């Protein structure tokens, strides 16, 4: 019998999210003409290297990319970045996180385990889209522009104020 979800007062259950790594999905491709950004450097404000794309994380239900899992330079964890907050540049093989301010980047939680929980995703959504957005369910989060995979390959954007 599976163990029940653990909860504490005023928190959400520590359940696994619906994410899986694209590399674990047989024959997965991003789509025609879209580069695989795995292994590309991720650049933050001021051209600071945040890390390297280690995995593209998909939603199990619709198999759409939802996050870039970025291995931090110290290799002590990952940042989950919604795919729509970056801009892929094929010429430089870099992803620029041009839709997030330095303060938002600092507020993102670090993932230090393999399992992504719903609570971790909720923290990321809260940091990127605000506390009100984080109160919804994953299906609502994935409807936000920050989770639109087409934005990764579109024109660069200015950080939100």
């Amino acid at each position: 019998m599976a163990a029940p979800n653990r909860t504490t007062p005023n928190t959400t259950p520590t359940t696994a999210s619906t994410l899986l790594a694209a590399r674990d999905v047989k024959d997965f491709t991003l789509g025609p003409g879209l580069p695989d950004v795995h292994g590309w450097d991720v650049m933050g404000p001021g051209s600071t290297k945040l890390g390297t794309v280690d995995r593209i994380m998909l939603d199990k239900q619709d198999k759409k990319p939802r996050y870039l899992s970025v291995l931090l330079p110290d290799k002590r964890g990952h940042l989950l970045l919604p795919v729509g907050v970056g801009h892929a540049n094929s010429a430089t093989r870099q992803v620029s996180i041009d839709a997030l301010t330095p303060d938002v980047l600092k507020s993102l939680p670090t993932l230090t385990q393999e399992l992504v929980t719903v609570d971790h995703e909720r923290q990321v959504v809260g940091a990127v889209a605000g506390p009100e957005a984080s109160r919804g369910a994953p299906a609502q989060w994935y409807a936000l522009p920050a989770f639109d995979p087409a934005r990764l390959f579109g024109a660069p954007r200015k950080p939100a104020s």
Side-chain angles (χ1 to χ4, degrees):
M1 183 169 108
N5 293 333
R6 295 182 305 269
T7 60
T8 56
N10 300 321
T11 64
T12 57
T14 55
T15 56
S17 75
T18 61
L19 298 175
L20 68 141
R23 66 182 179 204
D24 296 335
V25 177
K26 185 178 176 165
D27 300 326
F28 173 77
T29 59
L30 285 170
L34 301 180
D36 180 355
V37 297
H38 179 261
W40 290 19
D41 288 339
V42 177
M43 309 304 286
S47 298
T48 304
K49 183 176 174 181
L50 299 176
T52 305
V53 178
D54 185 48
R55 298 181 195 123
I56 298 170
M57 303 300 291
L58 309 175
D59 176 52
K60 287 179 186 178
Q61 274 86 39
D62 63 16
K63 304 291 189 284
K64 288 185 180 176
R66 298 302 181 188
Y67 295 94
L68 300 178
S69 179
V70 178
L71 180 62
L72 298 171
D74 63 10
K75 299 188 182 347
R76 292 182 188 239
H78 288 81
L79 286 181
L80 285 183
L81 297 173
V83 294
V85 301
H87 172 72
N89 183 329
S90 296
T92 61
R93 296 182 51 85
Q94 293 179 335
V95 176
S96 297
I97 304 304
D98 48 16
L100 300 181
T101 65
D103 288 339
V104 170
L105 286 169
K106 287 178 192 172
S107 69
L108 288 169
T110 302
L111 182 65
T112 57
Q113 60 187 10
E114 280 288 315
L115 177 70
V116 178
T117 64
V118 171
D119 188 52
H120 187 90
E121 275 195 271
R122 188 175 309 283
Q123 291 175 43
V124 172
V125 172
V128 171
E132 187 65 33
S134 71
R135 292 186 185 106
Q140 293 167 310
W141 304 336
Y142 299 158
L144 296 170
F147 290 93
D148 181 359
R151 292 171 57 100
L152 182 62
F153 303 101
R157 291 167 304 282
K158 300 276 187 211
S161 304

